[in-house]
Amino acid sequence: MVISPRVKGFICITAHPDGCRENVRRQIEYVEKNGKMENSPKNVLIIGASTGYGLASRIALAFGGGANTLGIMFEKSATATRTATPGYYNTEAFEAFAKEKGLYAETINGDAFSVECKEKTIQKIREDLGKVDMVIYSLAAPRRTTPDGQTYTSVLKPVGEAFTNLSWNAKDNSLTTVTLEPANEEEIAATVKVMGGEDWMDWIEALHTADVLSEDAVTVAYSYIGPELTYPIYKDGTIGRAKKNLKECSDRMNEKYQGQGIRSYVSVNKAVVTQASAAIPVVPLYFMILYKVMKEKHLHEGCIEQMDRLFRRKLSGSQVEQDNGGFIRMDDWELREDVQAAVMDAWNRITTTELSEIADVDGYWEDFYHMFGFHFDNVDYDRDVPLV
Ligand code: NAD
């Protein structure tokens, strides 16, 4: 099949294996150019390892630090008529590149929220690695089924009152004003269940009980805060409630495992285009303006630049840089005063006519297509690709 992008809303329903491979290759190249990473953990478990921040963490630690990596993902393989999901192709490519370098790289494709997946992972660690030194929790999921069989669905809504602001319409590249109605209590609680820290704690508890965490093991999960502009839909919205819970769970783990060597952190990362973030209303317009400002100031970073910097500079062995609230701040450049002042200035004067001038619409689309393995200038998109 000749594979072309088929975009539906904020998602592309096709993915290109050669392009996904190129996406992974470029990330590896970036990390390798920065040289050997000091103090890298040896054996790393990455939960949510196939796209976005999880994949970038995996690449940074494997190709920068020489780490053995076991990944967990929830991806679909190809059928006779459908391409695989990008995360599936990314992972195939990652494993092949890692093995070429003699690095251990295995992946479990299953529902990370399930007890079965946790048991399988423990078994695999025992057989192949003995113990892991680092656990990265980078899940972004729309729903979670808990062990009692109940399914919770997360929502992206404000809390308390409706939120009205500008939003970008990807279909016709226009700006509209949208009003988002507030979530009810049940929706808030469900979002906390899915995107909060409960499952992260379950993972650490299961791994600790099974004695597959090494002494001085570190675990890190990812969060986002963003500027005041997006507070109603992010920080103070349903997802923000879940992220607040994530940090509380991190603090609880630090108390619980104090003296047993396990340290837990939350890293606040910058805004980047991923499958998860493209789905949040209002936020893509902010991203496009932010991209423009940060590129002009030579501060722009994607997932790989962020994760490479995290593990080289901010979470490296026993050296951990935290703010007063105990967070690792990878959003330091995004939230710089001059950056945010420029973003707000642009936000206040942007209109549909000037959209492409004031915001980095092309950069947004480039990242979007790259996520699905499209728009790489060195990939032959006319090639007839066998799907299965
Ligand atoms: P993503 O959609 O690119 O990645 C999600 C990963 O989770 C994928 O590997 C996917 O396979 C996996 N996954 C989803 N459901 C699963 C399940 N049930 N079982 C196993 N694996 C499952 O998302 P992302 O944007 O990289 O987000 C990762 C984390 O980073 C999230 O916690 C997110 O809130 C946080 N974060 C994202 C941004 C951003 O701008 N994208 C900024 C800061 C923090």
Side-chain angles (χ1 to χ4, degrees), residues 46-56 72-75 85 87-88 91 108-114 117 137-145 195 199 203 221-225 234 239 243 246 267-278 280 283 287 291 303 306 331 334 371:
I46 303 110
I47 304 160
S50 53
T51 55
Y53 275 125
L55 173 66
I72 313 294
M73 65 177 188
F74 205 32
E75 303 289 352
T85 50
Y88 191 91
T91 303
I108 293 172
N109 191 6
D111 181 5
F113 293 124
S114 70
C117 183
Y137 191 82
S138 186
L139 281 193
R143 68 191 64 81
R144 168 183 174 201
T145 300
M195 288 297 289
D199 179 65
W203 267 100
Y222 300 139
S223 187
Y224 182 68
I225 294 175
Y234 202 99
I239 181 73
K243 293 299 186 188
L246 188 80
S267 170
V268 182
N269 299 343
K270 91 172 263 279
V272 289
V273 182
T274 64
Q275 290 183 68
S277 63
I280 309 174
V283 159
F287 279 26
Y291 271 37
C303 289
Q306 278 266 296
D331 60 347
E334 172 181 350
M371 260 188 328

Side-chain angles (χ1 to χ4, degrees), residues 52-349:
Y53 275 125
L55 173 66
S57 307
R58 188 175 199 184
I59 293 173
L61 292 168
F63 289 89
N68 299 314
T69 58
L70 174 60
I72 313 294
M73 65 177 188
F74 205 32
E75 303 289 352
K76 288 198 181 98
S77 57
T79 66
T81 52
R82 270 186 93 102
T83 68
T85 50
Y88 191 91
Y89 290 137
N90 290 341
T91 303
E92 267 188 346
F94 172 84
E95 288 185 359
F97 284 125
K99 283 169 190 168
E100 265 174 33
K101 288 260 159 170
L103 294 170
Y104 172 93
E106 294 284 331
T107 309
I108 293 172
N109 191 6
D111 181 5
F113 293 124
S114 70
V115 172
E116 189 203 354
C117 183
K118 293 179 177 77
E119 283 172 354
K120 240 188 181 171
T121 306
I122 288 166
Q123 180 81 7
K124 188 91 182 137
I125 296 172
R126 280 206 180 113
E127 283 168 11
D128 297 355
L129 299 168
K131 295 193 181 206
V132 291
D133 319 299
M134 183 179 270
V135 180
I136 295 168
Y137 191 82
S138 186
L139 281 193
R143 68 191 64 81
R144 168 183 174 201
T145 300
T146 45
D148 59 7
Q150 192 155 348
T151 299
Y152 299 89
T153 302
S154 69
V155 298
L156 293 160
K157 290 187 178 180
V159 169
E161 53 187 68
F163 172 53
T164 300
N165 213 325
L166 272 184
S167 195
W168 172 62
N169 190 344
K171 260 194 201 144
D172 59 2
N173 198 32
S174 66
L175 295 184
T176 43
T177 300
V178 291
T179 296
L180 305 160
E181 292 305 324
N184 61 37
E185 287 306 318
E186 203 180 310
E187 289 173 318
I188 298 170
T191 308
V192 172
K193 272 276 179 198
V194 182
M195 288 297 289
E198 189 179 64
D199 179 65
W200 180 26
M201 288 207 302
D202 287 353
W203 267 100
I204 299 304
E205 174 69 22
L207 296 164
H208 178 248
T209 309
D211 197 24
V212 292
L213 291 178
S214 63
E215 263 177 55
D216 292 330
V218 168
T219 185
V220 59
Y222 300 139
S223 187
Y224 182 68
I225 294 175
E228 271 178 44
L229 173 69
T230 60
Y231 276 4
I233 185 63
Y234 202 99
K235 179 174 169 281
D236 296 338
T238 49
I239 181 73
R241 290 287 182 98
K243 293 299 186 188
K244 188 166 171 270
N245 175 264
L246 188 80
K247 179 64 166 63
E248 286 161 3
C249 290
S250 178
D251 294 342
R252 243 182 277 162
M253 285 194 278
N254 278 330
E255 260 170 48
K256 182 170 172 184
Y257 300 111
Q258 204 181 24
Q260 297 177 65
I262 304 169
R263 287 176 291 143
S264 163
Y265 301 101
V266 172
S267 170
V268 182
N269 299 343
K270 91 172 263 279
V272 289
V273 182
T274 64
Q275 290 183 68
S277 63
I280 309 174
V282 180
V283 159
L285 178 60
Y286 165 72
F287 279 26
M288 292 193 299
I289 296 176
L290 179 75
Y291 271 37
K292 177 93 173 179
V293 170
M294 291 187 82
K295 281 180 186 174
E296 279 171 4
K297 291 180 181 285
H298 305 289
L299 291 173
H300 179 71
E301 291 177 302
C303 289
I304 195 62
E305 290 83 0
Q306 278 266 296
M307 294 300 93
D308 187 77
R309 186 157 71 93
L310 171 66
F311 295 115
R312 283 182 204 273
R313 310 241 192 104
K314 301 225 179 191
L315 178 57
S316 170
S318 56
Q319 286 171 310
V320 187
E321 197 182 302
Q322 288 164 283
D323 69 5
N324 293 340
F327 290 101
I328 299 171
R329 301 303 295 262
M330 295 308 302
D331 60 347
D332 44 359
W333 299 349
E334 172 181 350
L335 294 189
R336 246 170 59 166
E337 231 171 83
D338 59 325
V339 170
Q340 284 305 319
V343 169
M344 276 321 295
D345 173 60
W347 187 275
N348 290 331
R349 62 195 164 85

